[in-house]
Amino acid sequence: MIPARPVWRTVRVLLLICFLLFVAIQFIRPPLDNPPVTADLEAPPPVKAILRRACYDCHSNETRLAWFDQPAPAYWLVVRDVRAGRRVLNFSNFGSLPKGVQAAKLFECIMQVEQQAMPLSQYALLHHGATIDQAAIGVLKEYASAIGYHAKPDTGRERAQAEQYTSWNAANDATNLATNVAIRDEYNGVAYGPLAGFPTWKAVSTTERFDNGTLRLILGNDITIKAIREGHTNPWPDGAVFAKVAWDQLPDSSGAIYAGAYKQVEFMIRDGRKYASTFGWGFARWVGGLAMKPYGKDASFAEECVNCHRPVAAFDHTFTIPLADTLSLYDQAAFLPDSVDRHPLMGKVITTMVDTRGPTMSTLYGNDLALKAARKGQSYYPGAFYALVTWGQRDDPHWFGGRIPKELVKVETVECTTGGEVHRSVYQGMPLKKMPDGSMSAKRAQYITALKASVFP
């Protein structure tokens, strides 16, 4: 049925108006310049070809627009995305960055691709060349691994750790050196004071980072630990706080990697209302070792945190897979049963380490007396209780460049009695079973009790 003439006339007028508006908005064209390339990425040709094909249109000064990118309003969206992309990562000045920063950015790029956050889905829908398949990811991983950190004995790191440890113990309050210095608020207003007790928080997990040569320990406040034990972690409850502590890796000639000099601590603070604009999490970081300087130059540093955590939205924007000593809801392979004496995960963390020969990773927990002894360098302290928990290792599924606990290997406990005796126990297997007496040598027990505490601020 043909529409009545007045209706058809109205339709034609509306179509004409829409066409004129479409033509008019083509003259609203925010500039999108291609500044000179000053320090382009230097990489092997296969790596460069992948990045140029998939990333350079948004992350370089060599943006090439397809014909369908040109008409507004599509053009406006492209300009917005290119500006944001260049701000986060620009391969045209990549070569001017310190080598460590270059490696960190490449590892993060791979994480973004593996978590399917990059390239943007709306971009890849039409720009089919931007898709990075598994073979291409493999090429990028091989290159990133080559320029990442490779553990080997380093006298510079040994000296830095020894000097820092000496100054830490010489402080009037070695349990919290940060109380002796004035620590400025983070640029977004997060104050360090309410977070200063984090060294006594419980452990959530640990990570070996081969992208930047650090060992990391993730701690949680009481609300965080309660949420883990009850399985209420997605989303995390308001009030939950994570502290991620980083030390330089300190390798020795045997293949062991210990926690070296303290580098930084970063926090995630859950408050759905206060931090609604950043996924409900407040971010803060203090760097510079025991100098404890706020990270960044201004409050915009949080944009870096947001961009990094955006790909793990399915896990409430957190990377960490918690360990648990109740029936694990998070990582059954790394499950640590309650059957172990004193519940190690509820103890204080003394230090963490990796053995590349396994490979395994271990964390030494203890009661307050064990922690006190380890900070003073005393290998025997009446009443001290130690638990060295060892896991296998696996690649972190959320972050290429990290390794996290896998299956539980064993738990070794040492108790120094007030009567001068040393009680030794070993638990192995799954389900975990206590081994016969004598499974741990006196030499091994002495090794455990002689481990020095990692430096905390």
Side-chain angles (χ1 to χ4, degrees):
M1 180 176 178
I2 300 175
R5 187 174 299 276
V7 175
W8 178 239
R9 184 181 295 114
T10 301
V11 171
R12 284 190 299 175
V13 170
L14 290 175
L15 289 173
L16 178 61
I17 292 173
C18 290
F19 175 73
L20 293 175
L21 286 174
F22 177 77
V23 172
I25 66 175
Q26 302 313 307
F27 294 94
I28 306 174
R29 301 185 70 79
L32 181 60
D33 301 325
N34 279 336
V37 176
T38 56
D40 196 18
L41 165 73
E42 294 183 8
V47 174
K48 188 72 171 283
I50 293 169
L51 295 175
R52 182 175 290 280
R53 170 179 57 80
C55 308
Y56 266 51
D57 278 348
C58 289
H59 295 282
S60 79
N61 294 342
E62 301 178 62
T63 301
R64 297 171 300 175
L65 299 184
W67 66 266
F68 46 77
D69 295 325
Q70 298 287 354
Y75 176 78
W76 302 341
L77 300 177
V78 169
V79 170
R80 181 200 63 188
D81 290 344
V82 171
R83 287 177 175 174
R86 288 176 177 176
R87 188 167 59 249
V88 173
L89 172 65
N90 191 333
F91 286 111
S92 294
N93 58 27
F94 197 80
S96 64
L97 301 174
K99 294 297 183 183
V101 176
Q102 291 185 32
K105 286 188 174 292
L106 283 176
F107 276 90
E108 184 180 343
C109 285
I110 294 170
M111 179 275 292
Q112 296 272 357
V113 172
E114 285 201 304
Q115 299 297 329
Q116 300 181 343
M118 285 288 160
L120 297 175
S121 57
Q122 65 268 28
Y123 181 81
L125 184 65
L126 295 176
H127 301 80
H128 301 298
T131 302
I132 302 179
D133 59 22
Q134 289 301 314
I137 291 176
V139 172
L140 296 178
K141 283 186 172 182
E142 184 177 1
Y143 174 64
S145 297
I147 65 173
Y149 175 76
H150 296 272
K152 59 183 179 181
D154 186 329
T155 55
R157 289 191 173 210
E158 291 173 6
R159 185 169 53 252
Q161 192 274 343
E163 292 175 353
Q164 189 184 72
Y165 190 83
T166 298
S167 65
W168 179 58
N169 272 323
N172 293 327
D173 182 4
T175 62
N176 191 350
L177 185 62
T179 61
N180 298 320
V181 296
I183 298 179
R184 290 186 300 163
D185 292 354
E186 184 52 279
Y187 291 104
N188 60 355
V190 175
Y192 181 81
L195 306 169
F198 77 87
T200 64
W201 294 356
K202 303 297 188 297
V204 175
S205 191
T206 184
T207 309
E208 177 200 357
R209 291 281 294 272
F210 64 88
D211 55 344
N212 57 23
T214 59
L215 291 183
R216 300 194 172 209
L217 177 70
I218 300 89
L219 301 164
N221 66 356
D222 289 343
I223 295 175
T224 302
I225 301 303
K226 184 174 184 291
I228 291 171
R229 292 177 69 84
E230 295 177 353
H232 300 150
T233 62
N234 197 4
W236 291 87
D238 277 4
V241 184
F242 289 98
K244 182 177 288 187
V245 192
W247 297 273
D248 277 330
Q249 290 188 21
L250 189 61
D252 67 12
S253 57
S254 73
I257 300 174
Y258 297 94
Y262 165 78
K263 290 178 67 70
Q264 66 176 42
V265 61
E266 52 193 68
F267 295 91
M268 288 182 68
I269 306 160
R270 181 70 182 181
D271 189 323
R273 290 187 176 182
K274 185 175 182 179
Y275 302 114
S277 63
T278 53
F279 315 133
W281 290 98
F283 297 93
R285 184 187 305 173
W286 282 269
V287 298
L290 295 177
M292 298 291 286
K293 300 176 182 177
Y295 175 77
K297 297 180 179 179
D298 51 44
S300 66
F301 83 89
E303 182 180 358
E304 178 183 326
C305 305
V306 168
N307 289 331
C308 186
H309 286 261
R310 192 185 307 278
V312 284
F315 306 96
D316 198 15
H317 300 94
T318 59
F319 286 97
T320 301
I321 300 174
L323 299 172
D325 58 4
T326 55
L327 181 60
S328 178
L329 304 174
Y330 317 98
D331 193 346
Q332 190 66 46
F335 171 47
L336 176 57
D338 268 339
S339 58
V340 178
D341 290 343
R342 313 283 185 96
H343 311 307
L345 289 184
M346 292 296 101
K348 304 290 178 57
V349 174
I350 296 174
T351 190
T352 186
M353 66 204 73
V354 168
D355 189 336
T356 59
R357 294 167 297 185
T360 59
M361 58 198 317
S362 304
T363 298
L364 179 62
Y365 305 87
N367 62 8
D368 289 337
L369 294 176
L371 181 60
K372 183 177 181 180
R375 286 176 169 171
K376 291 185 174 182
Q378 295 181 239
S379 60
Y380 182 88
Y381 202 95
F385 176 83
Y386 305 80
L388 183 63
V389 184
T390 299
W391 293 271
Q393 274 194 311
R394 63 168 173 148
D395 291 335
D396 189 334
H398 298 158
W399 184 276
F400 173 65
R403 300 187 183 102
I404 61 174
K406 192 181 177 183
E407 74 284 348
L408 182 65
V409 175
K410 62 181 174 181
V411 180
E412 302 164 278
T413 67
V414 179
E415 182 177 10
C416 303
T417 70
T418 55
E421 298 177 342
V422 176
H423 294 167
R424 309 185 294 269
S425 299
V426 178
Y427 299 78
Q428 285 182 299
M430 188 56 73
L432 207 62
K433 294 181 179 179
K434 189 173 183 178
M435 297 294 100
D437 291 345
S439 297
M440 184 196 305
S441 67
K443 184 177 180 180
R444 179 65 177 176
Q446 186 176 18
Y447 164 79
I448 292 173
T449 59
L451 287 169
K452 293 197 302 185
S454 296
V455 173
F456 277 95

